[in-house]
């Protein structure tokens, strides 16, 4: 993950219940928590979601049939990417996440807005690296974007690294 990328996890809205606390708030690892349990009861049209995502970010030249990846043009400050992992039989989503390159405004106005529309249409919600839950509306996640390490780095790289060396980061060790 590049420092200028802002990451969001995607899960079905109706999957957030008491298990959320166990999975996210109590995660003590250096890794993102597993989200496959959030997808257990999802019955949406997976091929349609994949097809729509293909229209937002180009498919990457890596991955396989069960781990689908998309990657924007990093050389053009469009280092947006996404990953959807499917079950072996491709009938269930096991994880879905994306990262937005905050270096270019069009990544937010075009790419992020398109992903948020896809999320609204499919009744998904978003979770940031701090475990905060957001509706798929830019207004709802904007505070998180502004407080992210990506934004802090882009606003003042020297201060960001000075703060990092003091272990004074606003995000968890995941961010």
């Amino acid at each position: 993950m590049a420092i200028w990328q802002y990451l969001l996890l995607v899960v079905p809205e109706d999957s957030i219940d008491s298990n959320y606390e166990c999975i996210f708030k109590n995660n003590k690892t250096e890794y993102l928590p597993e989200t496959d349990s959030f997808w257990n009861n999802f019955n949406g049209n997976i091929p349609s979601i994949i097809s729509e995502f293909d229209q937002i970010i180009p498919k990457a030249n890596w991955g396989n049939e069960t781990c689908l990846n998309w990657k924007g043009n990093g050389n053009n400050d469009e280092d947006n990417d996404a990953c959807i992992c499917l079950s072996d039989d491709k009938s269930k989503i096991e994880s879905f996440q994306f990262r937005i390159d905050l270096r270019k405004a069009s990544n937010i106005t075009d790419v992020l807005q398109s992903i948020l529309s896809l999320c609204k249409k499919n009744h998904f919600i978003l979770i940031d690296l701090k475990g905060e839950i957001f509706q798929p509306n830019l207004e709802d996640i904007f505070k998180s974007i502004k407080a992210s390490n990506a934004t802090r780095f882009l606003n003042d790289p020297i201060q960001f690294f000075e703060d990092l060396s003091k272990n004074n980061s606003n995000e968890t060790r995941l961010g």
Side-chain angles (χ1 to χ4, degrees), residues 3 41 51 54-55 64 85 87 99 109 117 153 155:
I3 188 63
N41 297 317
S51 177
D54 287 342
Q55 304 305 308
N64 56 43
C85 291
S87 59
R99 299 182 294 200
T109 58
S117 293
F153 170 79
N155 286 339

Coordinates of all heavy atoms in Angstrom, one line a residue, residues 3 41 51 54-55 64 85 87 99 109 117 153 155:
I3 N 1.7 5.2 0.5 CA 1.3 6.1 1.6 C 0.2 7.1 1.1 O -0.6 7.5 2.0 CB 2.5 6.9 2.1 CG1 2.1 7.7 3.4 CG2 3.1 7.8 1.1 CD1 1.7 6.9 4.6
N41 N -24.2 -14.4 4.3 CA -25.6 -14.4 3.8 C -25.8 -13.5 2.6 O -27.0 -13.2 2.3 CB -26.5 -13.9 5.0 CG -26.4 -14.9 6.1 OD1 -26.5 -16.1 5.9 ND2 -26.3 -14.4 7.3
S51 N -18.4 -7.0 -13.2 CA -18.5 -6.3 -14.4 C -18.6 -4.8 -14.2 O -17.9 -4.1 -15.0 CB -19.8 -6.8 -15.2 OG -20.0 -6.1 -16.4
D54 N -15.2 -3.5 -13.4 CA -14.4 -3.4 -14.6 C -14.5 -2.1 -15.3 O -13.6 -1.7 -16.0 CB -14.7 -4.6 -15.6 CG -14.3 -5.9 -15.1 OD1 -13.4 -6.0 -14.2 OD2 -14.8 -6.9 -15.6
Q55 N -15.6 -1.4 -15.1 CA -15.9 -0.1 -15.8 C -15.3 1.0 -15.0 O -15.2 2.1 -15.5 CB -17.4 0.1 -16.0 CG -18.1 -1.0 -16.7 CD -17.5 -1.3 -18.1 OE1 -17.3 -0.3 -18.9 NE2 -17.1 -2.5 -18.4
N64 N -6.2 -14.3 -10.1 CA -6.7 -15.5 -10.7 C -8.3 -15.4 -10.7 O -8.8 -14.4 -10.5 CB -6.2 -16.8 -10.0 CG -6.5 -16.8 -8.5 OD1 -7.6 -16.4 -8.1 ND2 -5.5 -17.1 -7.7
C85 N -12.0 -11.2 -3.4 CA -11.7 -12.6 -3.3 C -13.0 -13.4 -3.2 O -13.9 -13.0 -2.4 CB -10.8 -12.9 -2.1 SG -9.1 -12.2 -2.4
S87 N -15.0 -17.4 -3.0 CA -14.9 -18.8 -2.6 C -14.4 -19.6 -3.8 O -14.4 -19.2 -4.9 CB -16.2 -19.3 -2.1 OG -17.2 -19.2 -3.1
R99 N -8.5 0.8 -2.6 CA -7.7 1.9 -2.2 C -7.8 3.0 -3.2 O -7.7 2.7 -4.4 CB -6.3 1.5 -2.0 CG -6.1 0.4 -0.9 CD -4.7 -0.1 -0.7 NE -4.2 -0.7 -1.9 CZ -3.1 -1.5 -1.8 NH1 -2.5 -1.7 -0.7 NH2 -2.7 -2.1 -2.9
T109 N -13.4 12.5 -7.2 CA -14.6 12.9 -7.9 C -15.1 11.9 -8.9 O -16.3 11.8 -9.1 CB -14.4 14.2 -8.6 OG1 -13.3 14.1 -9.5 CG2 -14.1 15.3 -7.6
S117 N -21.2 4.6 -5.6 CA -22.4 4.3 -6.3 C -22.7 2.8 -6.4 O -23.8 2.3 -6.1 CB -22.5 4.9 -7.7 OG -22.5 6.3 -7.6
F153 N 0.3 12.7 5.1 CA 1.5 12.7 4.3 C 1.5 13.7 3.2 O 2.4 14.4 3.0 CB 1.7 11.3 3.8 CG 2.9 11.2 2.8 CD1 4.2 11.2 3.2 CD2 2.6 11.2 1.4 CE1 5.2 11.1 2.3 CE2 3.7 11.1 0.5 CZ 5.0 11.1 1.0
N155 N -0.2 16.4 2.8 CA -0.3 17.8 3.3 C 1.1 18.3 3.8 O 1.5 19.4 3.6 CB -1.3 17.9 4.4 CG -2.7 17.9 3.9 OD1 -3.0 18.2 2.8 ND2 -3.6 17.6 4.8

